[in-house]
Each structure stands twice: as structure tokens, then as C-alpha cells.
Amino acid sequence: MYMLKRLLLSAIVLSAISGSSYAVDVKLPGADPSISRDAYVQAVYTTDKIESTYDERLKKKADSFSAYSKERFNQEFGVVVDDDAVEALKNEIYTIERRKYDGNTVVNLHNKKGGLSVTLPFSVVQKEALSDFPDAAAGYLFQSPMIVTAIIENKMPYSPDKTDMVFKYDGLSKSYWRKITLTGAVDMDIIALNFELSKHPKQAYNVILYPRVTESVTSNDINKIMANYVLPSIHSLQDLDDYSRVENYKKYSFRVPKTAVKENNPNVKIDGVTFTVDKDIRQQILIDPANNLEKGIFSSFDEIDLLYKLDNKTAEFFGFPGSPKITKGSHSFVWNDGMPGLLLDLELDNRQGILMFITYDDSFKYQNSIHYPLDNGAYTKVQLRKLITDATLSDTGNMYQEDVWFI
């Protein structure tokens, strides 16, 4: 990993050689005008090669789990599990494991001026802090099974190299596209964006992508992802102030719509707070003790199991007959300054939508949910998704200081 960081550093540090003093419009590599600019919101990028790699890896994992389970049942419980039961278990394990990677990822980096938000069209399952980069104010390395991403806030703006591609994009200034080609034991292209936020000058960032599995992810894939999904998703967290505000409850800091009104909560048995928004949107914060299975993780079995149930399109949201049924659902992984969380995006058959954001510290589970109408709401779904994923805990101890993996 140390050598990998050094290669990454060589790709993202922009030298002092000055380029053109003016910016020109260019056609970015991989740009596809047929892809909507808001596709990033729920998009998951995949190809036949990526699907084949997932299929091979996860089926091997399911095979090992099912074989272990058969042996364990026989040894520990004296129960003989037949082959049909083992096959059913294997298929269920594979389906649940595969479902985890059918989501995208929101990354938020905060600072005193707001900070940066970037959405990646794949599931990030590992985070590592880039603490030894001298020119970084903050930075993290995020890994999916297929792609590696680095997102770094720079201490100062860099001058571009003469080989960098200068481009213009709404909301960005001093923006450059850089490609570094590595050759040797593994050949790969590293694509790096360097930019400042137009409304918030002197906030300079790097966003870097490169393949983790080079036989499955090509340079063309990386270009498409960067140009059509990552770039349109970039925005300042301070922009959320236009329609939302920050509230605090105990250690939890979160956003609510500007028109939200705090409700009186007479139920003393419930630890949380509720807001009503223009009578058609309701937001609730609940804090529950984390059980032993959930401690230290950010995506509990309960949430992953719900994702699995979404595939049948008929799961009752409240778990009993006659309750609204889930007709559509997706998930996003969320990293706030290296703290992980999970967003569930659900639609019900009564034309209501539910956004549910879950995160943990070492003792508690924090659940932030917004119920809203799918039609003609006071706030758009994109606005609600952005505000609900911008949440932090004032103290998590050393829980997320080191590397963090998704279960």
C-alpha cells in the first residue's frame, strides 16, 4: 500500500510548470452527451466484464460459506443438512452479497467553508486515510472491488502541467484533466481532476480514479465514469445552505429543510427528534443502542437483508400484511470525513418515498429518515438526498480513524 500511495501521489501532484493562462472548452475523454447530467444520483456503472468478475468472486465466496455451514451444522448441532438446503443457502448468500455492490457512493469532505461532495457510480467498501501526503489538508483513499478513488483537499492551488487538459465546467474553476500512464508489471491509466469551486475560491481539490482490477476495468471505463458521473456530481456542501440548515441532537449533526419545524415529542421512551416540513414531509432522528452484531460496522445485517428483500418488489415496509409495499429501492454508501453510513432510497405503492440514512458509533445506531410525497413535493428528491447524507458525529473515538471495511 505504501508504494501504491507513492504512485498515486506522483499522479496527482501538479507541477509548477505553467500552462496556458486561459481556459478553453474541450471535449472530455469518455464524455457521452446521451447520459443525463443528473444520472449520477442513483447510477451504478457496470459492464459485462465487471459483472463476470463479480459473479466469479462471489460465487466462490458463497460456495465456501455453504460448505462451512453444512459442516458446522453437522458438528455443532448434530443436524444433517441435505444438498438441497445447502444449494438454497448458497444461492441466498450469493444474492445478498451481490446486492451489496448494486449501489453508488457519496463522499463528503467537510471544512470551515463547507467542503466538497462527490458521488461515485459504484459501491465503495474500504476507506483509508491519506495522512502522509504533505500537501493535503484532508484526503482519503476509497476502494471498491474494481476501482480505486482518491479524494483530496489541497492546502493550496496548484499550477497545471503543460500536458494537462484545461476544461470548463459549471461550478468549477481552474479545472484540469490529467492522465498518467503506468507501465510495467501492471499497465494502467490514472485519471485525475484538479479544480477549485467557483463560488468558493481557494478551495482546491483532486479527484483521482484508477482500476483495481485491470483485466476487468479499462481506461475507457475510467474516462466514462469520470466525465459522465463523477464530474456532474461535484458540488460544495455550502450550497446546501440555500435550502437547508444544520441541526444538532446530542452528538449527531444533521441537515433539515429550511422550512422544517421541530415537533414536541411526548414519548419519552423514544430517543430522538422529529421535524415537520410544509405538512407534506416529515423527518425523524432516532437513536437506538447498537446490538453486538452491529457494533463497529456501518451496514448492519438488517439493512442488507432489506436490500435483498427489495428484489421481489413486494416487501411490506412495516413488516405486516396490509402495510405499504416497497415497489422500488436502491442504496448508497456514504462517507462523511471517513465516517461510513448507508442510505436506503425506497418508494412505496402509496406514492410515498422514504429516505433512510443509518450510521453508527461504538454504542449507538443513528437513523435519520425522511418521508415525502413522490409527486409535487416542496423539495425535490435530489435536494432531500443531498441534505440527508450530510451528517456527522462529533465524537466516535478511534472507531473510524484507521482503515474501515464494509462488511
Side-chain angles (χ1 to χ4, degrees):
M1 182 58 71
Y2 179 79
M3 289 301 298
L4 183 60
K5 286 187 188 178
R6 303 274 68 78
L7 290 173
L8 182 62
L9 181 60
S10 70
I12 65 175
V13 173
L14 299 175
S15 66
I17 302 175
S18 62
S20 301
S21 60
Y22 60 94
V24 295
D25 290 317
V26 297
K27 183 174 178 62
L28 294 174
D32 185 347
S34 68
I35 299 175
S36 170
R37 286 190 62 168
D38 62 357
Y40 72 88
V41 175
Q42 290 179 294
V44 178
Y45 182 86
T46 191
T47 64
D48 289 342
K49 284 186 177 181
I50 291 174
E51 290 297 318
S52 177
T53 303
Y54 273 128
D55 190 62
E56 180 181 351
R57 289 185 176 188
L58 297 178
K59 281 189 174 179
K60 286 182 179 179
K61 186 174 183 178
D63 286 342
S64 65
F65 270 120
S66 59
Y68 168 76
S69 297
K70 183 176 183 180
E71 180 180 352
R72 181 180 178 186
F73 270 99
N74 289 338
Q75 290 180 352
E76 296 186 13
F77 304 106
V79 177
V80 178
V81 181
D82 61 29
D83 291 339
D84 288 343
V86 171
E87 186 68 18
L89 175 63
K90 181 177 70 174
N91 291 336
E92 182 175 352
I93 290 172
Y94 169 78
T95 303
I96 293 175
E97 288 291 318
R98 183 65 189 87
R99 190 66 168 87
K100 295 176 185 178
Y101 300 108
D102 289 334
N104 62 13
T105 303
V106 178
V107 178
N108 295 327
L109 267 63
H110 294 86
N111 59 30
K112 293 180 179 179
K113 297 181 180 180
L116 182 76
S117 182
V118 179
T119 300
L120 309 170
F122 46 81
S123 293
V124 166
V125 296
Q126 180 183 352
K127 176 232 53 176
E128 177 187 357
L130 297 175
S131 57
D132 59 347
F133 279 28
D135 294 324
Y140 297 94
L141 193 71
F142 299 99
Q143 297 196 52
S144 80
M146 304 293 170
I147 300 170
V148 179
T149 306
I151 301 178
I152 298 172
E153 179 186 358
N154 302 319
K155 290 181 179 179
M156 60 186 68
Y158 286 108
S159 299
D161 186 90
K162 60 184 178 181
T163 61
D164 293 335
M165 181 183 295
V166 184
F167 69 96
K168 288 183 177 180
Y169 205 85
D170 292 346
L172 306 184
S173 62
K174 300 180 182 179
S175 44
Y176 309 98
W177 178 292
R178 166 176 284 194
K179 182 179 79 170
I180 299 293
T181 300
L182 300 181
T183 59
V186 177
D187 294 342
M188 71 169 71
D189 286 340
I190 299 176
I191 304 300
L193 293 185
N194 180 271
F195 57 89
E196 292 184 28
L197 298 170
S198 299
K199 294 181 181 179
H200 313 286
K202 298 183 180 179
Q203 288 194 55
Y205 296 91
N206 282 114
V207 178
I208 305 99
L209 294 178
Y210 59 92
R212 187 178 185 183
V213 183
T214 53
E215 65 269 22
S216 301
V217 180
T218 66
S219 297
N220 188 44
D221 293 323
I222 297 297
N223 285 334
K224 285 183 177 180
I225 290 169
M226 186 69 91
N228 301 296
Y229 302 101
V230 173
L231 187 56
S233 79
I234 293 172
H235 66 272
S236 170
L237 290 171
Q238 190 173 340
D239 293 344
L240 274 62
D241 293 341
D242 294 341
Y243 65 91
S244 69
R245 67 177 190 270
V246 175
E247 291 278 344
N248 295 281
Y249 183 75
K250 296 188 174 180
K251 295 194 299 181
Y252 193 54
S253 178
F254 56 94
R255 285 186 177 269
V256 300
K258 268 192 173 179
T259 54
V261 178
K262 185 177 178 181
E263 296 180 2
N264 293 324
N265 186 6
N267 191 343
V268 295
K269 295 182 179 180
I270 297 177
D271 188 2
V273 60
T274 303
F275 297 84
T276 298
V277 184
D278 294 345
K279 298 183 180 179
D280 59 357
I281 299 174
R282 197 164 184 261
Q283 183 170 355
Q284 185 174 49
I285 312 299
L286 294 177
I287 303 176
D288 294 314
N291 63 43
N292 290 332
L293 288 176
E294 294 170 337
K295 279 191 175 183
I297 62 177
F298 66 94
S299 181
S300 74
F301 178 82
D302 288 342
E303 277 78 51
I304 294 300
D305 188 52
L306 178 58
L307 296 178
Y308 168 65
K309 290 177 180 177
L310 294 182
D311 293 329
N312 63 25
K313 307 299 182 185
T314 58
E316 284 93 4
F317 179 69
F318 294 105
F320 57 83
S323 64
K325 290 183 173 57
I326 301 169
T327 58
K328 184 179 179 181
S330 64
H331 72 281
S332 300
F333 299 112
V334 181
W335 297 85
N336 280 293
D337 306 320
M339 183 189 77
L342 177 72
L343 173 68
L344 298 179
D345 186 340
L346 311 175
E347 295 184 5
L348 309 182
D349 61 1
N350 61 0
R351 299 303 298 161
Q352 290 291 306
I354 298 175
L355 297 171
M356 186 182 300
F357 179 64
I358 302 104
T359 193
Y360 297 85
D361 61 18
D362 57 354
S363 300
F364 296 97
K365 173 181 178 179
Y366 299 81
Q367 181 173 294
N368 184 351
S369 62
I370 298 178
H371 293 236
Y372 66 99
L374 294 176
D375 306 311
N376 303 319
Y379 296 86
T380 68
K381 183 176 182 176
V382 172
Q383 287 178 320
L384 296 177
R385 281 178 60 99
K386 286 181 178 180
L387 74 85
I388 199 173
T389 54
D390 182 18
T392 58
L393 292 170
S394 61
D395 180 21
T396 58
N398 295 322
M399 184 173 174
Y400 298 128
Q401 297 304 309
E402 305 298 330
D403 297 353
V404 178
W405 285 267
F406 154 61
I407 61 168

